Coordinates of all heavy atoms in Angstrom, one line a residue:
V1381 N 10.4 7.6 37.8 CA 10.2 8.6 36.7 C 8.9 9.3 36.9 O 7.8 8.6 37.0 CB 10.4 8.0 35.3 CG1 10.2 9.1 34.2 CG2 11.8 7.4 35.2
F1382 N 8.9 10.6 36.9 CA 7.6 11.4 36.8 C 7.4 11.7 35.3 O 8.1 12.5 34.7 CB 7.7 12.7 37.6 CG 8.0 12.5 39.1 CD1 9.3 12.6 39.6 CD2 7.0 12.1 39.9 CE1 9.6 12.4 40.9 CE2 7.3 11.9 41.3 CZ 8.6 12.1 41.8
A1383 N 6.3 11.1 34.7 CA 6.1 11.3 33.3 C 4.7 10.9 32.9 O 4.0 10.3 33.7 CB 7.1 10.4 32.5
I1384 N 4.3 11.3 31.7 CA 3.0 10.9 31.1 C 3.2 10.4 29.7 O 4.2 10.5 29.1 CB 2.0 12.2 31.1 CG1 2.6 13.3 30.2 CG2 1.8 12.7 32.5 CD1 1.6 14.4 30.0
G1385 N 2.1 9.8 29.2 CA 2.1 9.4 27.8 C 3.2 8.5 27.4 O 3.5 7.5 28.1
K1386 N 3.8 8.7 26.2 CA 4.8 7.9 25.7 C 6.0 7.8 26.6 O 6.7 6.8 26.7 CB 5.2 8.3 24.3 CG 6.0 7.3 23.5 CD 6.2 7.8 22.1 CE 7.0 6.8 21.2 NZ 6.4 5.5 21.1
C1387 N 6.4 9.0 27.2 CA 7.5 9.0 28.1 C 7.3 8.0 29.3 O 8.2 7.3 29.7 CB 7.7 10.4 28.6 SG 8.3 11.6 27.4
A1388 N 6.1 8.0 29.8 CA 5.8 7.1 30.9 C 5.9 5.6 30.5 O 6.5 4.8 31.2 CB 4.4 7.3 31.4
L1389 N 5.4 5.3 29.3 CA 5.5 3.9 28.8 C 7.0 3.5 28.6 O 7.4 2.4 28.9 CB 4.7 3.8 27.5 CG 3.2 3.5 27.6 CD1 2.6 3.5 26.3 CD2 3.0 2.1 28.3
E1390 N 7.8 4.4 28.0 CA 9.2 4.1 27.8 C 9.9 3.8 29.1 O 10.7 2.9 29.2 CB 9.8 5.2 27.0 CG 9.4 5.3 25.6 CD 9.9 6.6 24.9 OE1 10.4 7.5 25.5 OE2 9.7 6.6 23.6
A1391 N 9.6 4.6 30.1 CA 10.2 4.4 31.5 C 9.8 3.1 32.0 O 10.6 2.3 32.6 CB 9.8 5.6 32.4
M1392 N 8.5 2.7 32.0 CA 8.0 1.5 32.5 C 8.6 0.3 31.7 O 9.0 -0.7 32.3 CB 6.5 1.4 32.5 CG 5.8 2.3 33.5 SD 4.0 2.1 33.5 CE 3.6 3.2 32.2
A1393 N 8.8 0.4 30.4 CA 9.4 -0.6 29.6 C 10.8 -0.8 30.0 O 11.4 -1.9 29.8 CB 9.2 -0.3 28.1
T1394 N 11.5 0.2 30.5 CA 12.9 0.1 30.9 C 13.0 -0.5 32.3 O 14.1 -0.9 32.7 CB 13.5 1.5 30.8 OG1 13.3 2.1 29.5 CG2 15.0 1.5 31.1
G1395 N 11.9 -0.5 33.1 CA 12.0 -1.1 34.4 C 12.0 0.0 35.5 O 12.4 -0.3 36.6
C1396 N 11.5 1.2 35.1 CA 11.5 2.3 36.1 C 10.0 2.4 36.7 O 9.1 2.2 36.0 CB 11.8 3.7 35.5 SG 13.3 3.7 34.6
A1397 N 9.9 2.7 38.0 CA 8.6 3.0 38.6 C 8.2 4.3 38.0 O 9.0 5.2 37.7 CB 8.7 3.0 40.1
V1398 N 6.9 4.5 37.8 CA 6.3 5.7 37.2 C 5.2 6.3 38.0 O 4.3 5.6 38.4 CB 5.9 5.4 35.7 CG1 5.0 6.6 35.2 CG2 7.1 5.2 34.8
I1399 N 5.3 7.6 38.2 CA 4.2 8.4 38.8 C 3.8 9.5 37.7 O 4.6 10.4 37.5 CB 4.5 9.1 40.1 CG1 4.9 8.0 41.1 CG2 3.4 9.9 40.6 CD1 5.4 8.6 42.5
P1400 N 2.6 9.5 37.2 CA 2.2 10.5 36.2 C 1.9 11.8 37.0 O 1.2 11.8 38.0 CB 1.0 10.0 35.6 CG 1.0 8.5 35.9 CD 1.6 8.4 37.2
I1401 N 2.4 13.0 36.5 CA 2.1 14.3 37.0 C 2.0 15.3 35.9 O 2.7 15.2 34.9 CB 3.1 14.8 38.1 CG1 4.5 14.9 37.5 CG2 3.1 14.0 39.3 CD1 5.5 15.6 38.4
I1402 N 1.1 16.2 36.0 CA 1.0 17.3 35.1 C 0.8 18.6 35.9 O 0.5 18.5 37.1 CB -0.2 17.1 34.1 CG1 -1.5 17.0 34.9 CG2 0.0 16.0 33.2 CD1 -2.8 16.9 34.0
P1403 N 0.9 19.8 35.3 CA 0.7 21.0 36.1 C -0.7 21.0 36.8 O -1.7 20.7 36.2 CB 0.7 22.1 35.0 CG 1.7 21.6 34.0 CD 1.4 20.1 33.9
G1404 N -0.7 21.1 38.1 CA -1.9 21.2 38.9 C -2.5 19.8 39.3 O -3.5 19.8 40.0
Q1405 N -1.8 18.7 38.8 CA -2.4 17.4 39.2 C -1.2 16.4 39.4 O -0.4 16.2 38.6 CB -3.2 16.9 38.0 CG -4.6 17.5 37.9 CD -5.6 16.8 38.8 OE1 -6.2 15.9 38.4 NE2 -5.7 17.3 40.0
A1406 N -1.3 15.8 40.6 CA -0.3 14.8 41.0 C -1.0 13.5 41.0 O -2.0 13.3 41.6 CB 0.2 15.1 42.4
G1407 N -0.4 12.6 40.2 CA -1.0 11.2 40.0 C -0.6 10.3 41.1 O 0.0 10.7 42.1
A1408 N -0.8 9.0 40.8 CA -0.4 7.9 41.8 C 0.5 7.0 41.1 O 0.5 6.9 39.8 CB -1.7 7.2 42.3
L1409 N 1.3 6.2 41.9 CA 2.2 5.3 41.3 C 1.5 4.2 40.5 O 0.4 3.7 40.9 CB 2.9 4.5 42.5 CG 3.9 3.5 42.1 CD1 5.2 4.1 41.6 CD2 4.3 2.6 43.3
V1410 N 1.9 4.0 39.2 CA 1.3 3.0 38.4 C 1.7 1.6 38.8 O 2.9 1.3 38.9 CB 1.8 3.2 36.9 CG1 1.1 2.2 36.0 CG2 1.4 4.6 36.4
T1411 N 0.7 0.8 39.2 CA 0.9 -0.5 39.6 C 0.3 -1.5 38.6 O -0.5 -1.1 37.8 CB 0.4 -0.8 41.0 OG1 -1.1 -0.6 41.0 CG2 0.9 0.3 42.0
A1412 N 0.5 -2.8 38.8 CA -0.1 -3.8 38.0 C -1.7 -3.7 38.1 O -2.4 -3.9 37.1 CB 0.4 -5.2 38.4
G1413 N -2.1 -3.3 39.3 CA -3.6 -3.2 39.5 C -4.2 -2.0 38.9 O -5.4 -2.0 38.6
T1414 N -3.4 -0.9 38.8 CA -4.0 0.3 38.3 C -3.5 0.6 36.8 O -3.9 1.7 36.3 CB -3.6 1.5 39.2 OG1 -2.1 1.7 39.2 CG2 -4.0 1.3 40.6
F1415 N -2.8 -0.3 36.2 CA -2.2 0.0 34.9 C -3.3 0.3 33.9 O -3.2 1.3 33.1 CB -1.4 -1.2 34.4 CG -0.7 -1.0 33.1 CD1 0.5 -0.4 33.0 CD2 -1.4 -1.4 31.9 CE1 1.1 -0.2 31.8 CE2 -0.8 -1.2 30.7 CZ 0.5 -0.6 30.6
D1416 N -4.3 -0.5 33.8 CA -5.4 -0.3 32.8 C -6.1 1.0 33.0 O -6.5 1.6 32.1 CB -6.4 -1.5 32.8 CG -5.7 -2.8 32.3 OD1 -4.7 -2.7 31.6 OD2 -6.3 -3.9 32.7
E1417 N -6.3 1.4 34.3 CA -7.0 2.6 34.6 C -6.2 3.8 34.1 O -6.7 4.8 33.5 CB -7.2 2.7 36.1 CG -7.9 4.0 36.5 CD -8.0 4.1 38.1 OE1 -7.6 3.2 38.7 OE2 -8.5 5.1 38.5
W1418 N -4.8 3.7 34.3 CA -4.0 4.8 33.7 C -3.9 4.8 32.2 O -3.8 5.8 31.6 CB -2.6 4.7 34.4 CG -2.5 5.3 35.8 CD1 -2.4 4.6 36.9 CD2 -2.6 6.6 36.1 NE1 -2.4 5.5 38.0 CE2 -2.6 6.7 37.5 CE3 -2.8 7.8 35.4 CZ2 -2.6 7.9 38.2 CZ3 -2.9 9.0 36.0 CH2 -2.8 9.1 37.4
A1419 N -3.9 3.6 31.6 CA -3.8 3.5 30.2 C -5.0 4.1 29.5 O -5.0 4.6 28.4 CB -3.6 2.0 29.8
F1420 N -6.2 4.0 30.2 CA -7.4 4.6 29.7 C -7.2 6.1 29.3 O -7.8 6.6 28.4 CB -8.5 4.5 30.8 CG -9.8 5.1 30.4 CD1 -10.7 4.4 29.7 CD2 -10.1 6.4 30.9 CE1 -11.9 5.0 29.3 CE2 -11.3 7.0 30.5 CZ -12.2 6.3 29.8
S1421 N -6.4 6.8 30.1 CA -6.1 8.2 29.8 C -4.7 8.5 29.3 O -4.2 9.6 29.5 CB -6.4 9.1 31.1 OG -5.5 8.7 32.1
N1422 N -4.1 7.5 28.7 CA -2.7 7.6 28.2 C -1.7 8.1 29.3 O -0.9 8.9 29.1 CB -2.7 8.6 27.0 CG -1.4 8.6 26.2 OD1 -0.7 7.5 26.3 ND2 -1.0 9.6 25.6
F1423 N -1.9 7.5 30.5 CA -1.0 7.8 31.6 C -0.9 9.3 32.0 O 0.2 9.8 32.3 CB 0.4 7.1 31.4 CG 0.3 5.7 31.1 CD1 0.2 5.2 29.8 CD2 0.2 4.8 32.2 CE1 0.0 3.8 29.6 CE2 0.0 3.4 32.0 CZ 0.0 2.9 30.7
G1424 N -2.0 10.0 31.9 CA -2.1 11.4 32.3 C -3.1 11.6 33.3 O -4.3 11.1 33.2
P1425 N -2.8 12.3 34.4 CA -3.8 12.5 35.5 C -5.0 13.3 34.9 O -4.8 14.3 34.1 CB -3.1 13.3 36.5 CG -1.6 13.0 36.3 CD -1.5 12.8 34.8
R1426 N -6.2 13.0 35.2 CA -7.4 13.7 34.8 C -8.1 14.2 36.1 O -8.0 13.5 37.1 CB -8.3 12.9 33.9 CG -7.6 12.3 32.7 CD -7.1 13.3 31.8 NE -6.4 12.7 30.7 CZ -5.7 13.4 29.8 NH1 -5.6 14.8 29.9 NH2 -5.0 12.8 28.8
Y1427 N -8.9 15.2 35.9 CA -9.6 15.8 37.1 C -10.5 14.8 37.8 O -10.8 14.9 39.0 CB -10.3 17.1 36.8 CG -9.3 18.2 36.4 CD1 -9.1 18.6 35.1 CD2 -8.5 18.7 37.5 CE1 -8.2 19.6 34.9 CE2 -7.6 19.7 37.2 CZ -7.4 20.1 35.9 OH -6.5 21.1 35.6
F1428 N -11.1 13.8 37.0 CA -12.0 12.9 37.6 C -11.2 11.7 38.2 O -11.8 10.8 38.8 CB -13.0 12.4 36.6 CG -12.4 11.7 35.4 CD1 -12.0 10.4 35.4 CD2 -12.2 12.5 34.2 CE1 -11.4 9.8 34.3 CE2 -11.6 11.9 33.1 CZ -11.2 10.5 33.1
M1429 N -9.9 11.7 38.1 CA -9.1 10.5 38.6 C -8.3 10.9 39.8 O -8.1 10.0 40.7 CB -8.1 10.1 37.5 CG -8.7 9.4 36.3 SD -7.5 8.9 35.1 CE -6.5 7.7 36.0
S1430 N -7.9 12.1 40.0 CA -7.0 12.5 41.1 C -7.2 13.9 41.5 O -7.4 14.8 40.6 CB -5.6 12.2 40.7 OG -4.7 12.7 41.6
S1431 N -7.2 14.2 42.8 CA -7.2 15.5 43.3 C -6.0 15.8 44.1 O -6.0 16.8 44.8 CB -8.5 15.8 44.1 OG -8.5 14.9 45.2
S1432 N -5.0 15.0 44.0 CA -3.8 15.1 44.8 C -2.9 16.3 44.3 O -2.9 16.6 43.1 CB -2.9 13.9 44.8 OG -3.7 12.8 45.3
Q1433 N -2.2 16.9 45.3 CA -1.3 18.0 44.9 C 0.1 17.5 45.3 O 0.3 16.6 46.1 CB -1.6 19.3 45.7 CG -3.0 19.8 45.4 CD -3.2 20.2 43.9 OE1 -2.3 20.9 43.4 NE2 -4.2 19.7 43.3
I1434 N 1.1 18.1 44.6 CA 2.5 17.8 44.9 C 3.0 18.3 46.2 O 3.0 19.5 46.5 CB 3.4 18.3 43.7 CG1 3.0 17.8 42.4 CG2 4.9 18.0 44.0 CD1 3.7 18.4 41.2
N1435 N 3.3 17.3 47.1 CA 3.9 17.7 48.4 C 4.6 16.4 49.0 O 4.5 15.3 48.4 CB 2.9 18.3 49.4 CG 1.7 17.3 49.5 OD1 1.8 16.1 49.7 ND2 0.5 17.9 49.4
E1436 N 5.2 16.6 50.1 CA 5.9 15.5 50.7 C 5.0 14.3 51.1 O 5.4 13.2 50.9 CB 6.7 16.0 51.9 CG 7.6 14.9 52.6 CD 8.3 15.4 53.8 OE1 8.4 16.6 54.0 OE2 8.7 14.5 54.6
Q1437 N 3.8 14.6 51.7 CA 2.9 13.6 52.1 C 2.4 12.7 50.9 O 2.4 11.5 51.0 CB 1.7 14.2 52.8 CG 2.0 14.9 54.2 CD 2.8 16.2 54.0 OE1 2.6 16.9 53.0 NE2 3.5 16.6 55.0
W1438 N 2.1 13.4 49.8 CA 1.7 12.7 48.6 C 2.8 11.8 48.1 O 2.5 10.6 47.8 CB 1.3 13.7 47.5 CG 1.4 13.2 46.1 CD1 0.5 12.4 45.5 CD2 2.5 13.4 45.2 NE1 0.9 12.1 44.2 CE2 2.1 12.7 44.0 CE3 3.7 14.1 45.3 CZ2 3.0 12.6 42.9 CZ3 4.5 14.0 44.2 CH2 4.2 13.3 43.0
L1439 N 4.0 12.3 48.0 CA 5.1 11.5 47.5 C 5.4 10.3 48.5 O 5.7 9.2 48.0 CB 6.4 12.3 47.3 CG 7.6 11.6 46.7 CD1 7.2 11.0 45.3 CD2 8.8 12.6 46.5
Q1440 N 5.4 10.5 49.8 CA 5.6 9.5 50.7 C 4.6 8.3 50.5 O 5.0 7.2 50.6 CB 5.6 10.0 52.1 CG 5.8 9.0 53.2 CD 7.3 8.5 53.2 OE1 8.2 9.2 53.5 NE2 7.5 7.2 52.8
K1441 N 3.4 8.7 50.3 CA 2.3 7.7 50.1 C 2.6 6.9 48.9 O 2.4 5.6 48.9 CB 1.0 8.4 50.0 CG -0.2 7.5 49.9 CD -1.5 8.3 49.8 CE -2.7 7.4 49.7 NZ -4.0 8.2 49.6
Q1442 N 3.1 7.5 47.8 CA 3.4 6.7 46.6 C 4.6 5.8 46.8 O 4.6 4.7 46.3 CB 3.6 7.7 45.4 CG 2.5 8.8 45.2 CD 1.2 8.2 45.2 OE1 0.9 7.1 44.6 NE2 0.3 8.8 46.0

Side-chain angles (χ1 to χ4, degrees):
V1381 177
F1382 301 100
I1384 61 172
K1386 193 172 178 63
C1387 292
L1389 274 173
E1390 290 173 348
M1392 286 184 278
T1394 306
C1396 307
V1398 167
I1399 300 176
I1401 58 173
I1402 59 174
Q1405 285 277 271
L1409 181 74
V1410 179
T1411 65
T1414 63
F1415 182 90
D1416 291 338
E1417 181 182 358
W1418 280 110
F1420 177 84
S1421 63
N1422 195 23
F1423 302 94
R1426 305 297 176 192
Y1427 290 107
F1428 58 83
M1429 289 180 62
S1430 169
S1431 59
S1432 300
Q1433 300 298 309
I1434 297 172
N1435 53 48
E1436 182 182 343
Q1437 292 73 26
W1438 157 80
L1439 184 57
Q1440 181 67 68
K1441 185 177 180 180
Q1442 308 315 313

